[in-house]
Amino acid sequence: MPRIIAKFREWIDNELTPQSAVANTTYFAFSLMLCMAHVRGISLGLAVVGCSWLQRNCKYAPAASIGGMLGALATADWHALAAIAMVFASVTIAAAVRGGITPAGKSAALAAALVVPVPLLCASNAEAVLTGLAAAGLAFALSFALSLGHDCVRAVWRKDVPSYPELTGLLFALALFAAAFGSSSIAGVRLGCVAAAIVALCAASQNGMLAAVPAIALGLGRTLAGDSMAFVGALAACAIAAGALKRLPKYVLAFAFALAAALMSLSVSLTGLLSIPEALLAALAYALLPDGFCRKLAFSRYSVAERNALERISELNHRLALTADALDGVAQVCVESAESPEGFAARQLCGVSSMLRRLSETRYEGTLRYKLRVGAAGRAKDGMPQSGDSMGVCAAGPLTLVALSDGMGSGEAAHEESSSTIAMLTRLIEAGFEPDEALECLNRMLVKRNSDAEIYSTVDCMLFDRRDGSAKFIKFGAPPSFLVREGKVVRLYAEALPAGILACASPATHLIALRRGDVVVMATDGVSDALEDGICSAVLDCARETKTAQKTAQALLDGAARRGAADDMTVVALRVE
């Protein structure tokens, strides 16, 4: 007994968390309602309890069992009470004594708990025993179906791909959900019909006219509770009407759903349809639901080939994660002082490890709320055939990198230096390196490559996060950048050596939260030398007088060129939308 109590306390500490509170409450409520409802004389709450025990770690089973026991006590259903108590005791003792129980053991314990009490509690006649055994078999089969439905809900909630058996289990779960409300009503409004209509509306908002399938399952669940088959057709028709408008705002879907229900109630002479008050209540409840909750309910069906491809991608992601772990272990061996070659190697190995781990993630958190419009203009120094400046733009998931480099001197050699710098940097960022890791690697490579010649490049970067608008400005010997916001100009500058001079050199950084309407200007020193002290007013005027990023960049370059091109000039303008 002390061991069982200790296991129960461990479960409370580890599993009963705020994150699982909603699931535990749902299992408790459904098992309670279905045990009390006695749909068609059968206690379907046993199926919910059985489903909770069939889960891998049974963390929702105590809540479901308590709800089922309370429902059985309230209706004096001694068979259900005995079955729930037996499965609770057998699985709990097995987990405490043997340290766990296999899925086959769970199935055997559930079958025994459902069947053994039947001849003891239903022994009045042979018909009662057969009826009890049939109800026990039905509850056993539905336990597995609901377990698949549980897996489907979890997959959809996590934006994973549910299998066809899981989708079938979800339909069974929806039917029992609708039936769980029984014949409960308030002022003639059937609560189960309202709940079924809300779920059908949520499905229509995310899955379009395919919501007719779950709507039919919900309607069939209501027929188990005593409603007519006319409700099945009415709910499916309303779901199709709303699903046809899924791309419109949610209040339009709610209106279309209620309007379809009203038209059928007024024009069709059938009883048991979705009434106007029920449809209005469902539409109001759906309109009040958070958009994020409804988006969680979207799912798609995939072909066998697509599913196989997804499985291969999942395996590849797993292997990338394992490789990342191995590189982390190798990096620990190389740790030395920060400036030593071993320390650099360790940091780069950690960078590759982080890159592989990010690649193994199949999705990015958050939505892309911002856009970045990029415009660029440049010209070579007077008398030179080619500019020594280069710029590049690349995307890495939700991040956008804009980079500008000025090679030492002018002409072809300077252009080759700056273009190779930009190409190397964008490749590292696109591969998944963090900016600090990529820039340290870039600087060390340039130092190594330029060991026999004093050739270096400035590097001016902005890394923009399209989810929250944050921007990181990174400068290796680059001139100031400018932020134009609400008619004012802010200079962004800090001293730092150009890339390729010292192996231990670090860039200067600024972190700024950008807003819609902000304009950012990055330029090489040829522009700032030409405009001198008037560069801030020139940037402000160009940002005000032009409407696009390209026109802003061209206008500022033209203004600088009128002063004479004593050096290569490049302007990059960025507008946040």
Side-chain angles (χ1 to χ4, degrees), residues 95-148:
V97 175
R98 300 176 56 189
I101 185 169
T102 63
K106 289 181 183 179
S107 301
L110 178 62
L114 292 172
V115 172
V116 169
V118 172
L120 301 177
L121 300 174
C122 305
S124 57
N125 54 64
E127 183 181 355
V129 173
L130 291 176
T131 302
L133 290 175
L138 177 62
F140 185 73
L142 283 176
S143 297
F144 286 92
L146 290 182
S147 182
L148 291 172

Side-chain angles (χ1 to χ4, degrees), residues 452-516:
D452 299 329
E454 294 185 358
I455 300 176
Y456 58 85
S457 301
T458 67
V459 179
D460 195 0
C461 304
M462 187 190 81
L463 195 67
F464 180 70
D465 193 327
R466 289 173 286 161
R467 294 169 297 186
D468 58 12
S470 61
K472 185 174 186 179
F473 292 85
I474 308 168
K475 293 181 178 292
F476 259 125
S481 298
F482 302 90
L483 169 63
V484 180
R485 176 182 292 171
E486 297 177 353
K488 297 180 181 179
V489 180
V490 179
R491 292 169 63 100
L492 306 174
Y493 181 64
E495 292 286 348
L497 289 173
I501 295 180
L502 295 177
C504 59
S506 298
T509 60
H510 293 273
L511 291 175
I512 294 178
L514 298 181
R515 308 172 189 167
R516 288 185 177 83

Side-chain angles (χ1 to χ4, degrees), residues 544-556:
R544 282 175 172 173
E545 295 169 2
T546 56
K547 299 299 182 183
T548 66
Q550 182 59 43
K551 290 181 179 179
T552 301
Q554 190 63 55
L556 187 60

Side-chain angles (χ1 to χ4, degrees), residues 317-329 349-363 431-432:
N317 289 338
H318 178 64
R319 290 173 182 254
L320 287 173
L322 292 178
T323 305
D325 292 338
L327 289 176
D328 280 338
L349 284 174
C350 288
V352 175
S353 171
S354 299
M355 175 196 70
L356 293 176
R357 191 166 283 108
R358 287 190 295 274
L359 285 176
S360 69
E361 298 173 355
T362 56
R363 54 185 177 270

Side-chain angles (χ1 to χ4, degrees), residues 207-551:
N207 303 292
M209 290 186 285
L210 285 175
V213 178
I216 291 172
L218 291 162
L220 291 174
R222 288 306 306 159
T223 63
L224 291 175
D227 287 328
S228 69
M229 287 296 295
F231 179 78
V232 180
L235 187 61
C238 292
I240 291 173
L245 306 175
K246 63 170 289 189
R247 297 186 180 277
L248 298 179
K250 62 189 303 185
Y251 62 85
V252 178
L253 270 70
F255 176 77
F257 186 90
L259 179 62
L263 291 175
M264 281 187 290
S265 295
L266 297 174
S267 59
V268 178
S269 59
L270 290 175
T271 59
L273 297 173
L274 182 65
S275 67
I276 295 176
E278 291 166 351
L280 290 175
L281 283 174
L284 178 61
Y286 162 73
L288 295 176
L289 285 175
D291 292 337
F293 174 83
C294 293
R295 282 195 293 269
K296 287 281 191 179
L297 302 179
F299 63 90
S300 301
R301 295 182 297 174
Y302 291 82
S303 66
V304 174
E306 289 170 324
R307 188 175 301 283
N308 291 337
L310 289 170
E311 290 176 355
R312 290 196 295 272
I313 291 172
S314 178
E315 176 64 20
L316 176 60
N317 289 338
H318 178 64
R319 290 173 182 254
L320 287 173
L322 292 178
T323 305
D325 292 338
L327 289 176
D328 280 338
V330 175
Q332 298 300 318
V333 180
C334 300
V335 172
E336 293 285 344
S337 63
E339 287 76 20
S340 67
E342 291 82 2
F344 169 66
R347 289 193 298 277
Q348 291 305 303
L349 284 174
C350 288
V352 175
S353 171
S354 299
M355 175 196 70
L356 293 176
R357 191 166 283 108
R358 287 190 295 274
L359 285 176
S360 69
E361 298 173 355
T362 56
R363 54 185 177 270
Y364 298 100
E365 297 296 330
T367 56
L368 303 182
R369 299 170 53 206
Y370 296 89
K371 293 182 180 179
L372 190 67
R373 303 299 184 186
V374 182
R379 60 172 294 167
K381 177 181 177 180
D382 287 343
M384 299 299 295
Q386 193 171 27
S387 171
D389 300 340
S390 298
M391 69 87 59
V393 180
C394 71
L399 305 178
T400 298
L401 174 76
V402 181
L404 180 60
S405 178
D406 182 358
M408 188 183 73
S410 299
E412 185 175 345
H415 176 75
E416 182 179 350
E417 183 70 17
S418 65
S419 61
S420 63
T421 297
I422 292 295
M424 190 183 306
L425 177 60
T426 53
R427 281 198 296 267
L428 290 171
I429 295 296
E430 286 178 330
F433 277 83
E434 291 287 351
D436 294 341
E437 299 161 355
L439 286 167
E440 181 182 13
C441 181
L442 172 66
N443 183 57
R444 294 258 183 171
M445 289 181 179
L446 291 177
V447 169
K448 182 68 175 177
R449 190 174 68 185
N450 299 335
S451 58
D452 299 329
E454 294 185 358
I455 300 176
Y456 58 85
S457 301
T458 67
V459 179
D460 195 0
C461 304
M462 187 190 81
L463 195 67
F464 180 70
D465 193 327
R466 289 173 286 161
R467 294 169 297 186
D468 58 12
S470 61
K472 185 174 186 179
F473 292 85
I474 308 168
K475 293 181 178 292
F476 259 125
S481 298
F482 302 90
L483 169 63
V484 180
R485 176 182 292 171
E486 297 177 353
K488 297 180 181 179
V489 180
V490 179
R491 292 169 63 100
L492 306 174
Y493 181 64
E495 292 286 348
L497 289 173
I501 295 180
L502 295 177
C504 59
S506 298
T509 60
H510 293 273
L511 291 175
I512 294 178
L514 298 181
R515 308 172 189 167
R516 288 185 177 83
D518 285 352
V519 177
V520 175
V521 173
M522 303 161 60
T524 56
D525 54 8
V527 177
S528 56
D529 291 344
L531 295 174
E532 297 179 337
D533 295 338
I535 188 168
C536 287
S537 59
V539 168
L540 181 60
D541 291 341
C542 291
R544 282 175 172 173
E545 295 169 2
T546 56
K547 299 299 182 183
T548 66
Q550 182 59 43
K551 290 181 179 179

